Amino acid sequence: MASKTSKGKLYLIPSTLGDSPPLEVLPISIKRAIESIDYYVVENEKTARHFIKKISPRKSQPSLQLFALNKFTDASEIPSFLDPCFNGFDVGILSEAGCPGVADPGAAVVKIAHEKQIQVVPLVGPSSILLALMASGLNGQNFAFNGYLPIDSSERKKEIKRLEKRSREERQSQIFIETPYRNNKLLEELQRTLAGNTLVCVASDITLTSEFIHTETAASWKNVVVDLHKRPTIFIIQA
């Protein structure tokens, strides 16, 4: 995937959503891309190298050049991550989980690639947001992803009510996430705050053997026993 006579491309390379065998949930195109690319933008070098090794055990690790993109990265450094493209080499963005650029810092690199006329190539892979919506039975024609809700309890309650109102008025599924160790508390808050007939989908450990996806009214969730502690989870509501 490198040509010395033309500009390299930016490949968006999805990863697994947990510790499942990569090639059980990822297409062969991911393996081909990883075997051909030596330059990567990643959140964590250790986990990225581990993922690359699982996909392509024979790939030379010393030949890899990884650029860190996380909360510690200076924004002024990001454009340089695409320098290999101007020398004819492809660059890959690897997400820690799921699809790069979707609830993921990789979007900053993609934006710069467009500005610099570098071709962006998204590869197929799992998105917890879309997989949860697919399995929820809620409105897949009109939906919004809202990221994290406020940490402050009173602000979070206001936001839940606002999203419920928006869902009702626009007939729109509202999707959001929480820090895994606060999942149980959020589910309890949804039960207390939402109208009893508002539908709530909880999608946890998607694609893993412990996968749990269930949709009930807010009132009925009080009868469901589930422990979501430290399990990556997507929440969806529809009024």
Side-chain angles (χ1 to χ4, degrees):
M1 292 188 182
S3 169
K4 296 295 176 119
T5 60
S6 62
K7 198 181 292 182
K9 301 174 184 178
L10 178 65
Y11 282 80
L12 309 185
I13 305 174
S15 61
T16 57
L17 298 176
D19 196 25
S20 53
L23 295 182
E24 283 190 12
V25 293
L26 298 172
I28 195 66
S29 58
I30 302 295
K31 180 177 174 65
R32 292 196 192 105
I34 285 176
E35 288 179 342
S36 302
I37 297 173
D38 289 330
Y39 298 90
Y40 293 91
V41 179
V42 305
E43 287 184 68
N44 181 288
E45 180 172 342
K46 184 178 179 180
T47 56
R49 286 184 179 276
H50 178 68
F51 176 74
I52 290 170
K53 191 172 183 65
K54 286 180 74 174
I55 293 284
S56 181
R58 295 183 181 180
K59 187 172 182 67
S60 169
Q61 290 282 327
S63 70
L64 298 176
Q65 186 166 341
L66 275 55
F67 308 104
L69 178 63
N70 50 47
K71 62 183 179 180
F72 303 110
T73 305
D74 189 318
S76 64
E77 296 178 35
I78 297 176
S80 67
F81 297 168
L82 294 170
D83 285 352
C85 291
F86 294 101
N87 294 316
F89 295 101
D90 295 328
V91 174
I93 298 183
L94 267 177
S95 178
E96 279 288 283
C99 296
V102 181
D104 173 88
V109 182
V110 177
K111 180 176 182 292
I112 294 170
H114 285 294
E115 292 170 356
K116 293 181 176 291
Q117 305 299 309
I118 293 169
Q119 184 178 346
V120 177
V121 183
L123 299 181
V124 174
S127 163
S128 59
I129 298 168
L130 290 180
L131 290 172
L133 183 62
M134 287 165 58
S136 69
L138 306 183
N139 193 351
Q141 299 291 333
N142 185 8
F143 57 90
F145 176 65
N146 300 278
Y148 292 93
L149 300 188
I151 294 175
D152 178 78
S153 182
S154 61
E155 290 299 315
R156 188 166 57 246
K157 183 176 180 179
K158 288 179 185 177
E159 182 66 1
I160 291 170
K161 296 297 288 184
R162 186 188 73 81
L163 292 176
E164 183 181 39
K165 181 181 178 183
R166 183 180 176 189
S167 176
R168 183 180 299 110
E169 292 176 347
E170 300 183 28
R171 298 182 180 179
Q172 186 178 69
S173 299
Q174 300 296 327
I175 309 170
F176 45 91
I177 54 179
E178 179 56 284
T179 303
Y181 66 85
R182 289 201 293 259
N183 282 335
N184 287 330
K185 185 175 180 181
L186 176 57
L187 182 56
E188 291 170 3
E189 236 172 330
L190 292 175
Q191 294 168 20
R192 290 195 302 267
T193 306
L194 296 170
N197 63 349
T198 292
L199 291 169
V200 179
C201 175
V202 174
S204 186
D205 289 345
I206 297 173
T207 73
L208 306 183
T209 56
S210 55
E211 181 178 86
F212 173 86
I213 303 175
H214 193 67
T215 299
E216 288 277 2
T217 63
S220 296
W221 267 106
K222 296 171 184 176
N223 302 317
V224 179
V225 178
V226 61
D227 185 5
L228 304 174
H229 187 58
K230 293 188 176 180
R231 299 170 68 183
T233 302
I234 301 285
F235 296 88
I236 312 176
I237 65 170
Q238 183 177 312

